[in-house]
Structure formats: structure tokens, C-alpha cells
Amino acid sequence: MTAQFRDQHSELMHLAENILNAARLRQGDDLGRLRLAFARAVRAHVADEALEIAKAIQGGHLDAELVGRHNRLIMNWRGEIALCNSEWTNRRVVDAPEGFIRCFLPLVEALQKALLYEEQSLLAII
């Protein structure tokens, strides 16, 4: 299962980089497809991982408080992504990609840190 989560992490980062590249190149059609794929991948990954983490908590392998703090960070991050997406329509991104990149890049960097934390602190235990 851990390999599956690492694969999902790689896919998330790949999609995020492709979104940034599509924005830089003002590729509106690709941007819409990539943003939708990214949202779906995030949702699927969070759901899959939540099931395994819940099992690990029930089995006494993970601390519920530690996981709770991480989950709050992830929920806040997802809220920031939703806000970014609502403020930056595909048309607006194509018209002003630098603004979108300033909004989205810190979220990609936060995602990368969260995924590294998950791999080192949560998935290593599962």
C-alpha cells in the first residue's frame, strides 16, 4: 500500500508541475484538463490514505493527535487550492499567468512538504 501512496504522491507533483507549465505557456485547454485531473487525484489520494491511516491509528501504530494536526493542515491546504481555483479561472490564467503562478506555486511547495512529511512520518509506520 505504501508504494501506491508514493506513486500517488509522484502523480500529484507531476500534475502540479504540468499545471504550472501549461500556465506559463498559456495553454488554456490543457490547463482545464490538468486542473480537473489534479483535483480528482487529490480527492482520491486523501480518501485512500485516510482509510489506511485510520487502520493504523486503530492498531495503535499512529498517534491520533499527530494525524489530526496533519489532517488540519491538509484541509487548510485544500481550502487554499479551492480559493486559488475559484479566483483564477482558466481564462484569467491565460491572460495573466504570472499572477496565477504566484498564487499556485506556494501551494505546490506546501504540497511537496506535506507529501514528504507523510512519507517520512506516517507512511513509514504503516
Side-chain angles (χ1 to χ4, degrees):
M1 203 53 150
T2 301
Q4 175 189 343
F5 293 137
R6 286 198 174 99
D7 289 346
Q8 288 175 344
H9 290 175
S10 293
E11 177 190 9
L12 290 171
M13 292 308 302
H14 180 73
L15 285 167
E17 289 300 322
N18 285 342
I19 289 168
L20 288 168
N21 289 335
R24 286 182 189 104
L25 298 173
R26 299 173 189 252
Q27 296 174 330
D29 290 340
D30 286 345
L31 195 56
R33 179 185 52 76
L34 290 165
R35 291 169 84 180
L36 179 59
F38 183 70
R40 288 178 175 165
V42 167
R43 184 175 51 245
H45 174 68
V46 169
D48 291 347
E49 204 168 64
L51 291 173
E52 293 303 313
I53 287 174
K55 290 178 193 175
I57 290 170
Q58 290 172 352
H61 304 290
L62 282 174
D63 178 62
E65 186 176 322
L66 176 72
V67 171
R69 282 194 305 269
H70 180 67
N71 284 345
R72 284 187 293 281
L73 289 173
I74 296 301
M75 299 291 25
N76 287 337
W77 177 84
R78 289 180 78 184
E80 291 294 321
I81 285 286
L83 181 61
C84 179
N85 284 336
S86 68
E87 290 177 349
W88 287 94
T89 63
N90 288 343
R91 170 57 38 213
R92 187 171 176 214
V93 174
V94 169
D95 291 342
E98 64 284 341
F100 171 75
I101 292 167
R102 277 194 306 275
C103 179
F104 190 67
L105 185 58
L107 298 172
V108 173
E109 292 167 349
L111 173 63
Q112 189 170 30
K113 288 179 186 175
L115 297 178
L116 182 61
Y117 173 81
E118 285 179 7
E119 289 177 7
Q120 292 176 346
S121 299
L122 302 178
L123 298 180
I125 297 169
I126 296 177

